Amino acid sequence: MPLMPKRVKHRKVQRGSIAGLARKNNKLDFGEFGLQACERGAITNNQIEAARVAINRHLKRRGKVWIRMFPYKPCTKKPLEVRMGKGKGNVESWVAPIKPGRILFEVSGCSETVAREAMSRAANKLCVRCKFLARSAG
Amino acid sequence: MNKVKKVLNIELRTKKGTGNARRARRAGAIPGILYCKGKDSVAVSVKARDWSLFSHKDSHLIDIKLDDGETRKALIKEVQEDVLKNMVLHIDLQEVRMDEVVRTAVMVHPKGTPVGEAMGGILEQPMHSIMVSCLAAKLPDAIEVDVSSLDVNQVIHVKDIVLPEGVKSEDTPDVVVFHVLIPSVLEATVAAAEDAAPAVGTAAPAAGTAAPAAPAAGKKDSKDKKDSKDKKKA
């Protein structure tokens, strides 16, 4: 089941901006290795799920995975061939706004080679450019 | 136990402020500050190359050499980093006397291979450093914990760690530092609690079900329509 909030205060919200850099959640806190965003963007719940599956498949269910983001923001879309107006569209997906520097995933319980490949596969599923982090390297 | 291995050359910094700090960074220096109990703090700078060569990962207590040639002991209190550029922005140094009690975080490293790993378990380390207080002279660089006796589902708490003489732990004793888990127990966990759900206020079931349920609902509707058409034809 894709990630989404159980309940929200407002069904639809304005787009907002994703300005600045990640001032928190920008360091490895749980695992030995991690994936860090280098760009800003909005990662959808489907992308997070695809990345999670890619990591788990490569790890072959060994090791532990932490998802360090949550898609809390509703994203709406009007249906195709519909004229403008008549109110805001329906909620199409849930996104996690990502600022540069944000840690997206963390992994532990595997070798660096395996973690690097798993994170590379996960990064291919995401809409932002990412880089690999290892705790030993700082 | 505590061996100060290297000497860091630091220079006094006369030009202060954001602009001067940026200029110093461009020139290959790292701005910093040196403070001490009972003395005024001094703005300093360190050459970035010296800092990169200087191994500060584990050891917090270092020797610093000022412009006047005087060597002192200092504790690395904080290192501010640019996480994207992997660049050190600023360092905080606290001058300490060796007979002074200091409180700092010390890294914990596992030693040996747990017994549980042979049975398919994985060693997890939820806590990578513990807060200790001791005399500066007795501050360890890092603490090694023997995990070779750890079986599956066994844990090592803070209270189980044998600290060097004179070193006292400041952390909660029941916090888990190492544990061995079998992979089936390990599941993906969501750790972004802070910005997870801004779920305050009234329930909005429509919002929760809208996105993923929409295609399913659409299919159901189309099926219902087809059924009703069939019935009409009949």
Side-chain angles (χ1 to χ4, degrees):
Chain A
M1 171 147 178
L3 289 171
M4 68 168 69
K6 282 178 187 163
R7 54 185 222 168
V8 288
K9 190 170 184 179
H10 303 292
R11 282 189 308 124
K12 298 170 186 176
V13 297
Q14 292 190 344
R15 187 179 288 271
S17 71
I18 314 174
L21 304 176
R23 296 292 176 199
K24 56 181 184 176
N25 297 323
N26 58 9
K27 286 180 182 167
L28 291 175
D29 283 336
F30 301 95
E32 293 293 320
F33 313 104
L35 190 67
Q36 188 179 39
C38 297
E39 290 176 345
R40 68 191 78 247
I43 297 181
T44 66
N45 51 2
N46 286 336
Q47 289 171 351
I48 296 173
E49 179 65 12
R52 186 191 68 82
V53 170
I55 293 172
N56 278 335
R57 279 194 184 154
H58 190 72
L59 294 181
K60 292 174 184 165
R61 298 190 63 77
R62 284 186 65 84
K64 190 168 180 175
V65 182
W66 286 268
I67 305 171
R68 296 288 308 276
M69 56 189 157
F70 188 84
Y72 63 86
K73 191 172 182 181
C75 196
T76 62
K77 192 173 185 298
K78 288 177 90 73
L80 291 175
E81 298 180 353
V82 169
R83 288 172 190 270
M84 289 296 106
K86 307 293 179 193
K88 198 167 168 66
N90 295 321
V91 176
E92 194 69 21
S93 62
W94 294 85
V95 299
I98 300 298
K99 293 179 181 180
R102 173 76 184 238
I103 301 289
L104 308 176
F105 291 95
E106 286 187 37
V107 170
S108 74
C110 60
S111 67
E112 181 170 345
T113 318
V114 173
R116 194 177 281 274
E117 177 61 23
M119 289 302 177
S120 168
R121 288 175 186 221
N124 286 337
K125 308 288 181 190
L126 304 175
C127 59
V128 291
R129 203 159 44 82
C130 305
K131 69 176 179 181
F132 178 79
L133 287 185
R135 187 178 287 274
S136 56
Chain B
M1 178 60 65
N2 175 46
K3 297 277 187 294
V4 179
K5 291 166 191 166
K6 296 185 180 179
V7 179
L8 183 69
N9 293 316
I10 62 174
E11 297 162 4
L12 291 177
R13 184 163 53 101
T14 50
K15 293 178 178 176
K16 298 176 187 175
T18 310
N20 288 320
R22 283 179 182 161
R23 263 173 236 125
R25 285 188 199 108
R26 277 200 294 272
I30 301 169
I33 192 161
L34 173 67
Y35 41 81
C36 180
K37 192 177 176 183
K39 287 185 189 174
D40 289 339
S41 57
V42 187
V44 295
S45 73
V46 181
K47 283 181 183 166
R49 195 167 174 278
D50 287 356
W51 184 259
S52 63
L53 295 172
F54 186 79
S55 171
H56 65 280
K57 293 290 176 195
D58 283 344
S59 59
H60 296 272
L61 197 63
I62 58 169
D63 268 354
I64 54 170
K65 197 172 179 183
L66 289 169
D67 287 342
D68 52 8
E70 193 183 349
T71 307
R72 304 173 191 177
K73 298 275 188 294
L75 201 64
I76 300 169
K77 292 294 280 186
E78 191 187 5
V79 180
Q80 292 174 22
E81 291 178 31
D82 185 326
V83 290
L84 282 174
K85 295 177 186 168
N86 286 334
M87 211 174 96
V88 178
L89 299 176
H90 188 269
I91 53 173
D92 275 26
L93 300 169
Q94 185 189 9
E95 193 183 329
V96 290
R97 292 193 313 272
M98 296 307 271
D99 58 344
E100 191 179 347
V101 175
V102 293
R103 185 174 177 273
T104 184
V106 177
M107 297 297 287
V108 183
H109 298 308
K111 188 182 172 186
T113 310
V115 180
E117 278 199 356
M119 298 162 72
I122 294 171
L123 179 70
E124 285 287 324
Q125 188 178 357
M127 201 174 181
H128 290 86
S129 63
I130 60 170
M131 193 62 77
V132 297
S133 67
C134 62
L135 291 178
K138 292 187 174 178
L139 184 67
D141 286 346
I143 297 168
E144 285 200 333
V145 180
D146 186 16
V147 294
S148 53
S149 59
L150 265 188
D151 208 340
V152 173
N153 293 333
Q154 283 188 342
V155 299
I156 292 179
H157 296 101
V158 170
K159 62 187 174 189
D160 301 328
I161 295 176
V162 182
L163 294 170
E165 198 183 331
V167 181
K168 204 172 77 175
S169 168
E170 297 269 315
D171 273 319
T172 316
D174 292 332
V175 177
V176 174
V177 182
F178 294 102
H179 58 175
V180 175
L181 297 175
I182 49 174
S184 60
V185 179
L186 304 176
E187 286 177 3
T189 50
V190 180
E194 295 129 10
D195 51 357
V200 202
T202 55
T209 52
K219 282 178 189 174
K220 207 176 180 182
D221 290 346
S222 60
K223 274 184 184 177
D224 292 346
K225 282 177 186 173
K226 277 183 185 176
D227 290 345
S228 60
K229 280 180 184 175
D230 292 342
K231 280 177 187 176
K232 280 178 185 174
K233 281 180 185 176

XYZ file of all heavy atoms in Angstrom, chain A residues 21-24 26-28 36 101 131 133-135 137-138, chain B residues 25 30-31 51 56-57 76 78-92:
303
model
N 17.717 24.991 1.613
C 18.363 23.688 1.747
C 17.793 22.958 2.953
O 17.196 23.573 3.833
C 19.882 23.864 1.929
C 20.616 24.648 0.850
C 22.075 24.806 1.235
C 20.504 23.962 -0.492
N 17.974 21.655 2.989
C 17.510 20.858 4.131
C 18.384 21.180 5.344
O 19.583 20.898 5.339
C 17.578 19.381 3.794
N 17.795 21.813 6.346
C 18.566 22.172 7.539
C 18.500 21.080 8.590
O 19.268 21.068 9.544
C 18.036 23.477 8.130
C 18.219 24.652 7.214
C 19.672 25.012 7.059
N 19.854 26.088 6.095
C 20.999 26.346 5.499
N 22.057 25.614 5.733
N 21.086 27.336 4.644
N 17.526 20.185 8.458
C 17.472 19.013 9.344
C 17.260 17.791 8.463
O 17.000 17.920 7.268
C 16.368 19.160 10.382
C 14.999 19.408 9.805
C 13.989 19.559 10.889
C 12.602 19.722 10.297
N 11.563 19.770 11.296
N 19.448 15.933 7.414
C 20.468 15.977 6.367
C 21.714 15.174 6.729
O 22.743 15.299 6.095
C 20.840 17.429 6.034
C 21.330 18.182 7.232
O 21.561 17.590 8.285
N 21.485 19.479 7.094
N 21.591 14.339 7.780
C 22.721 13.500 8.170
C 22.233 12.083 8.407
O 21.055 11.878 8.702
C 23.377 14.036 9.442
C 24.179 15.273 9.187
C 24.809 15.789 10.430
C 25.574 17.074 10.110
N 25.960 17.800 11.274
N 23.141 11.127 8.336
C 22.774 9.736 8.605
C 22.471 9.593 10.095
O 23.325 9.893 10.930
C 23.907 8.800 8.209
C 24.209 8.663 6.722
C 25.430 7.795 6.519
C 23.027 8.072 5.993
N 21.193 10.633 -0.408
C 20.944 12.044 -0.131
C 20.534 12.774 -1.406
O 21.143 12.556 -2.459
C 22.220 12.683 0.428
C 22.028 14.093 0.934
C 23.321 14.665 1.485
O 24.383 14.437 0.938
N 23.214 15.394 2.568
N 20.009 18.120 0.055
C 20.662 17.719 1.295
C 19.848 16.746 2.116
O 20.362 16.170 3.073
N 22.897 11.305 -4.204
C 24.251 10.773 -4.038
C 24.281 9.808 -2.859
O 23.444 9.901 -1.950
C 25.273 11.888 -3.869
C 25.198 12.657 -2.592
C 26.345 13.649 -2.552
C 26.282 14.451 -1.271
N 27.334 15.441 -1.174
N 25.808 8.016 0.488
C 26.545 8.422 1.683
C 26.906 7.191 2.505
O 26.114 6.249 2.577
C 25.691 9.329 2.562
C 25.419 10.760 2.139
C 24.662 11.458 3.246
C 26.695 11.497 1.861
N 28.061 7.207 3.110
C 28.461 6.131 4.024
C 28.902 6.761 5.333
O 29.561 7.799 5.328
C 29.587 5.309 3.423
N 28.543 6.122 6.420
C 28.867 6.696 7.725
C 30.378 6.763 7.942
O 30.897 7.730 8.463
C 28.230 5.853 8.835
C 28.361 6.453 10.208
C 27.666 5.594 11.211
N 26.236 5.691 11.098
C 25.493 6.624 11.692
N 26.077 7.532 12.430
N 24.197 6.630 11.560
N 32.624 7.223 5.846
C 33.241 8.308 5.074
C 32.848 9.671 5.606
O 33.266 10.683 5.100
C 32.825 8.207 3.611
N 32.040 9.691 6.641
C 31.682 10.977 7.216
C 30.270 11.339 6.879
O 29.874 12.440 7.097
N 37.183 31.397 3.715
C 36.886 30.067 3.157
C 37.378 29.966 1.711
O 37.909 28.945 1.299
C 35.393 29.791 3.224
C 34.924 29.466 4.618
C 33.482 29.000 4.651
N 32.974 29.143 6.006
C 32.092 30.069 6.380
N 31.586 30.912 5.507
N 31.690 30.133 7.634
N 39.480 27.745 7.330
C 38.203 27.469 7.992
C 38.102 28.387 9.204
O 38.954 28.317 10.100
C 38.113 25.999 8.446
C 38.273 25.060 7.255
C 36.800 25.732 9.162
C 38.450 23.615 7.663
N 37.116 29.259 9.257
C 36.968 30.104 10.444
C 36.500 29.285 11.636
O 35.806 28.275 11.479
C 35.906 31.120 10.020
C 35.195 30.514 8.886
C 36.117 29.553 8.227
N 43.165 20.739 8.330
C 41.996 20.112 8.955
C 41.652 18.787 8.266
O 41.280 17.824 8.909
C 40.801 21.059 8.910
C 39.605 20.527 9.604
C 38.518 19.949 9.033
C 39.381 20.499 11.011
N 37.630 19.561 9.993
C 38.130 19.884 11.217
C 40.115 20.928 12.123
C 37.595 19.690 12.484
C 39.579 20.733 13.378
C 38.340 20.123 13.553
N 39.906 13.777 12.993
C 39.118 14.194 14.147
C 37.863 13.336 14.309
O 36.951 13.688 15.020
C 38.706 15.657 13.983
C 37.790 15.876 12.825
N 38.253 15.963 11.547
C 36.449 15.987 12.749
C 37.237 16.133 10.728
N 36.131 16.152 11.430
N 37.809 12.216 13.589
C 36.589 11.420 13.607
C 36.292 10.880 15.005
O 35.174 10.923 15.477
C 36.718 10.255 12.632
C 36.791 10.684 11.200
C 35.483 11.234 10.724
C 35.611 11.739 9.305
N 34.496 12.576 8.933
N 37.155 19.465 20.653
C 36.355 19.868 19.480
C 34.889 19.802 19.898
O 34.333 18.731 20.115
C 36.616 18.949 18.278
C 38.082 19.000 17.892
C 35.751 19.348 17.098
C 38.490 17.952 16.900
N 32.157 21.504 18.260
C 31.201 21.454 17.158
C 31.904 21.689 15.827
O 32.840 22.494 15.762
C 30.095 22.510 17.347
C 28.950 22.313 16.390
C 27.924 23.431 16.445
O 28.151 24.412 17.155
O 26.918 23.312 15.749
N 31.470 20.967 14.840
C 31.976 21.170 13.476
C 30.765 21.389 12.580
O 29.934 20.507 12.426
C 32.781 19.945 12.988
C 33.286 20.176 11.575
C 33.935 19.647 13.913
N 30.664 22.578 12.009
C 29.556 22.866 11.095
C 29.992 22.517 9.677
O 31.080 22.915 9.254
C 29.183 24.344 11.153
C 28.580 24.749 12.478
C 28.366 26.250 12.554
O 28.276 26.924 11.537
N 28.302 26.761 13.765
N 29.150 21.755 8.990
C 29.509 21.288 7.654
C 28.456 21.666 6.629
O 27.279 21.756 6.959
C 29.669 19.769 7.657
C 30.876 19.298 8.432
C 30.976 17.794 8.461
O 30.542 17.154 7.503
O 31.473 17.271 9.468
N 28.903 21.859 5.411
C 27.979 21.982 4.280
C 27.762 20.568 3.770
O 28.679 19.947 3.228
C 28.596 22.874 3.194
C 27.622 23.141 2.056
O 26.827 22.232 1.751
O 27.665 24.226 1.477
N 26.544 20.051 3.973
C 26.320 18.635 3.693
C 26.343 18.325 2.204
O 26.570 17.186 1.819
C 24.982 18.154 4.292
C 25.041 18.110 5.788
C 23.830 19.012 3.817
N 26.113 19.320 1.368
C 26.110 19.053 -0.064
C 27.511 19.124 -0.664
O 27.869 18.346 -1.517
C 25.205 20.058 -0.784
C 23.716 19.764 -0.682
C 22.930 20.879 -1.304
C 23.378 18.455 -1.347
N 28.287 20.094 -0.189
C 29.622 20.280 -0.768
C 30.699 19.533 0.008
O 31.870 19.589 -0.364
C 29.967 21.770 -0.792
C 29.067 22.569 -1.723
C 29.401 24.032 -1.642
C 28.425 24.859 -2.452
N 28.553 26.282 -2.182
N 30.322 18.868 1.112
C 31.295 18.175 1.959
C 32.410 19.123 2.390
O 33.594 18.835 2.256
C 31.887 16.960 1.239
C 30.911 15.831 1.168
O 30.022 15.739 2.011
N 31.037 14.983 0.180
N 32.007 20.284 2.858
C 32.965 21.321 3.217
C 32.738 21.710 4.670
O 31.585 21.809 5.104
C 32.685 22.528 2.323
C 33.850 23.358 1.980
S 33.325 24.607 0.799
C 33.006 25.969 1.864
N 33.815 21.904 5.410
C 33.676 22.359 6.793
C 33.524 23.872 6.788
O 34.342 24.577 6.183
C 34.885 21.924 7.638
C 34.757 22.430 9.056
C 35.014 20.411 7.640
N 32.501 24.371 7.455
C 32.217 25.804 7.445
C 32.810 26.513 8.661
O 33.304 27.629 8.562
C 30.707 26.034 7.410
C 29.956 25.488 6.198
C 28.474 25.722 6.364
C 30.450 26.159 4.928
N 32.745 25.843 9.808
C 33.157 26.522 11.040
C 33.455 25.475 12.108
O 32.816 24.420 12.141
C 32.014 27.438 11.519
C 32.379 28.322 12.651
N 32.195 27.942 13.958
C 32.925 29.563 12.692
C 32.602 28.925 14.753
N 33.049 29.915 14.005
N 34.427 25.764 12.955
C 34.720 24.828 14.043
C 34.702 25.562 15.381
O 35.061 26.738 15.461
C 36.078 24.106 13.850
C 37.213 25.112 13.617
C 36.011 23.122 12.708
C 38.569 24.487 13.584
N 34.264 24.846 16.371
C 34.248 25.361 17.745
C 35.264 24.577 18.566
O 35.196 23.348 18.613
C 32.872 25.157 18.376
C 31.918 26.282 18.046
O 32.126 26.908 17.006
O 30.985 26.507 18.824
